[in-house]
mmCIF file of all heavy atoms in Angstrom:
data_model
loop_
_atom_site.group_PDB
_atom_site.id
_atom_site.type_symbol
_atom_site.label_atom_id
_atom_site.label_comp_id
_atom_site.label_asym_id
_atom_site.label_seq_id
_atom_site.Cartn_x
_atom_site.Cartn_y
_atom_site.Cartn_z
ATOM 1 N N ASN M 139 7.422 -9.640 -4.774
ATOM 2 C CA ASN M 139 8.678 -10.369 -4.596
ATOM 3 C C ASN M 139 8.434 -11.790 -5.105
ATOM 4 O O ASN M 139 8.072 -12.674 -4.340
ATOM 5 C CB ASN M 139 9.071 -10.342 -3.114
ATOM 6 C CG ASN M 139 10.412 -10.994 -2.877
ATOM 7 O OD1 ASN M 139 11.034 -11.532 -3.799
ATOM 8 N ND2 ASN M 139 10.867 -10.963 -1.642
ATOM 9 N N VAL M 140 8.598 -11.989 -6.411
ATOM 10 C CA VAL M 140 8.219 -13.272 -7.009
ATOM 11 C C VAL M 140 9.088 -14.426 -6.528
ATOM 12 O O VAL M 140 8.625 -15.552 -6.413
ATOM 13 C CB VAL M 140 8.212 -13.235 -8.563
ATOM 14 C CG1 VAL M 140 6.913 -12.675 -9.077
ATOM 15 C CG2 VAL M 140 9.372 -12.459 -9.125
ATOM 16 N N SER M 141 10.343 -14.139 -6.229
ATOM 17 C CA SER M 141 11.266 -15.221 -5.876
ATOM 18 C C SER M 141 11.147 -15.625 -4.410
ATOM 19 O O SER M 141 11.509 -16.729 -4.032
ATOM 20 C CB SER M 141 12.703 -14.776 -6.129
ATOM 21 O OG SER M 141 13.044 -13.746 -5.220
ATOM 22 N N GLY M 142 10.633 -14.721 -3.566
ATOM 23 C CA GLY M 142 10.617 -14.989 -2.130
ATOM 24 C C GLY M 142 11.990 -14.799 -1.508
ATOM 25 O O GLY M 142 12.189 -15.001 -0.322
ATOM 26 N N GLU M 143 12.976 -14.391 -2.312
ATOM 27 C CA GLU M 143 14.311 -14.111 -1.772
ATOM 28 C C GLU M 143 14.759 -12.752 -2.306
ATOM 29 O O GLU M 143 13.964 -11.993 -2.815
ATOM 30 C CB GLU M 143 15.291 -15.213 -2.174
ATOM 31 C CG GLU M 143 15.214 -15.535 -3.645
ATOM 32 C CD GLU M 143 16.169 -16.638 -4.076
ATOM 33 O OE1 GLU M 143 17.376 -16.348 -4.142
ATOM 34 O OE2 GLU M 143 15.715 -17.758 -4.368
ATOM 35 N N GLY M 144 16.044 -12.472 -2.185
ATOM 36 C CA GLY M 144 16.538 -11.202 -2.704
ATOM 37 C C GLY M 144 15.939 -10.053 -1.934
ATOM 38 O O GLY M 144 16.051 -9.989 -0.725
ATOM 39 N N SER M 145 15.257 -9.161 -2.634
ATOM 40 C CA SER M 145 14.640 -8.000 -2.005
ATOM 41 C C SER M 145 13.736 -8.422 -0.858
ATOM 42 O O SER M 145 12.928 -9.340 -0.985
ATOM 43 C CB SER M 145 13.802 -7.255 -3.050
ATOM 44 O OG SER M 145 12.938 -6.341 -2.400
ATOM 45 N N LYS M 146 13.887 -7.737 0.272
ATOM 46 C CA LYS M 146 13.002 -8.081 1.381
ATOM 47 C C LYS M 146 11.684 -7.327 1.282
ATOM 48 O O LYS M 146 10.780 -7.543 2.062
ATOM 49 C CB LYS M 146 13.686 -7.835 2.725
ATOM 50 C CG LYS M 146 14.153 -6.415 2.963
ATOM 51 C CD LYS M 146 14.871 -6.355 4.319
ATOM 52 C CE LYS M 146 15.318 -4.955 4.671
ATOM 53 N NZ LYS M 146 16.356 -4.404 3.773
ATOM 54 N N PHE M 147 11.563 -6.487 0.289
ATOM 55 C CA PHE M 147 10.310 -5.753 0.092
ATOM 56 C C PHE M 147 9.474 -6.418 -1.009
ATOM 57 O O PHE M 147 9.968 -7.199 -1.793
ATOM 58 C CB PHE M 147 10.608 -4.292 -0.260
ATOM 59 C CG PHE M 147 11.384 -3.584 0.813
ATOM 60 C CD1 PHE M 147 12.640 -3.064 0.558
ATOM 61 C CD2 PHE M 147 10.859 -3.474 2.096
ATOM 62 C CE1 PHE M 147 13.366 -2.415 1.561
ATOM 63 C CE2 PHE M 147 11.572 -2.827 3.102
ATOM 64 C CZ PHE M 147 12.834 -2.302 2.833
ATOM 65 N N GLY M 148 8.209 -6.080 -1.027
ATOM 66 C CA GLY M 148 7.318 -6.648 -2.034
ATOM 67 C C GLY M 148 6.434 -7.728 -1.430
ATOM 68 O O GLY M 148 6.820 -8.407 -0.492
ATOM 69 N N ILE M 149 5.237 -7.851 -1.994
ATOM 70 C CA ILE M 149 4.307 -8.871 -1.507
ATOM 71 C C ILE M 149 4.629 -10.223 -2.131
ATOM 72 O O ILE M 149 5.255 -10.295 -3.195
ATOM 73 C CB ILE M 149 2.843 -8.503 -1.863
ATOM 74 C CG1 ILE M 149 2.691 -8.283 -3.388
ATOM 75 C CG2 ILE M 149 2.396 -7.261 -1.094
ATOM 76 C CD1 ILE M 149 1.259 -8.216 -3.858
ATOM 77 N N ALA M 150 4.181 -11.286 -1.474
ATOM 78 C CA ALA M 150 4.267 -12.614 -2.081
ATOM 79 C C ALA M 150 3.191 -12.689 -3.175
ATOM 80 O O ALA M 150 2.166 -12.000 -3.085
ATOM 81 C CB ALA M 150 4.025 -13.675 -1.023
ATOM 82 N N PRO M 151 3.430 -13.507 -4.212
ATOM 83 C CA PRO M 151 2.446 -13.597 -5.302
ATOM 84 C C PRO M 151 1.023 -13.879 -4.812
ATOM 85 O O PRO M 151 0.064 -13.303 -5.347
ATOM 86 C CB PRO M 151 2.982 -14.758 -6.153
ATOM 87 C CG PRO M 151 4.457 -14.704 -5.954
ATOM 88 C CD PRO M 151 4.667 -14.280 -4.528
ATOM 89 N N ASP M 152 0.876 -14.704 -3.771
ATOM 90 C CA ASP M 152 -0.494 -15.037 -3.341
ATOM 91 C C ASP M 152 -1.159 -13.914 -2.543
ATOM 92 O O ASP M 152 -2.317 -14.005 -2.169
ATOM 93 C CB ASP M 152 -0.537 -16.372 -2.579
ATOM 94 C CG ASP M 152 0.243 -16.334 -1.280
ATOM 95 O OD1 ASP M 152 0.748 -15.249 -0.899
ATOM 96 O OD2 ASP M 152 0.332 -17.393 -0.628
ATOM 97 N N GLU M 153 -0.429 -12.841 -2.296
ATOM 98 C CA GLU M 153 -1.033 -11.678 -1.635
ATOM 99 C C GLU M 153 -1.587 -10.671 -2.652
ATOM 100 O O GLU M 153 -2.208 -9.677 -2.271
ATOM 101 C CB GLU M 153 0.004 -10.960 -0.761
ATOM 102 C CG GLU M 153 0.463 -11.765 0.454
ATOM 103 C CD GLU M 153 1.599 -11.052 1.188
ATOM 104 O OE1 GLU M 153 2.747 -11.095 0.696
ATOM 105 O OE2 GLU M 153 1.312 -10.442 2.231
ATOM 106 N N LEU M 154 -1.327 -10.925 -3.942
ATOM 107 C CA LEU M 154 -1.726 -9.935 -4.949
ATOM 108 C C LEU M 154 -3.246 -9.757 -5.035
ATOM 109 O O LEU M 154 -3.740 -8.632 -5.024
ATOM 110 C CB LEU M 154 -1.159 -10.305 -6.328
ATOM 111 C CG LEU M 154 -1.577 -9.351 -7.463
ATOM 112 C CD1 LEU M 154 -1.077 -7.929 -7.211
ATOM 113 C CD2 LEU M 154 -1.083 -9.848 -8.812
#
Side-chain angles (χ1 to χ4, degrees):
N139 184 356
V140 277
S141 67
E143 48 181 286
S145 165
K146 58 183 183 295
F147 300 119
I149 56 168
D152 64 5
E153 292 174 283
L154 178 62

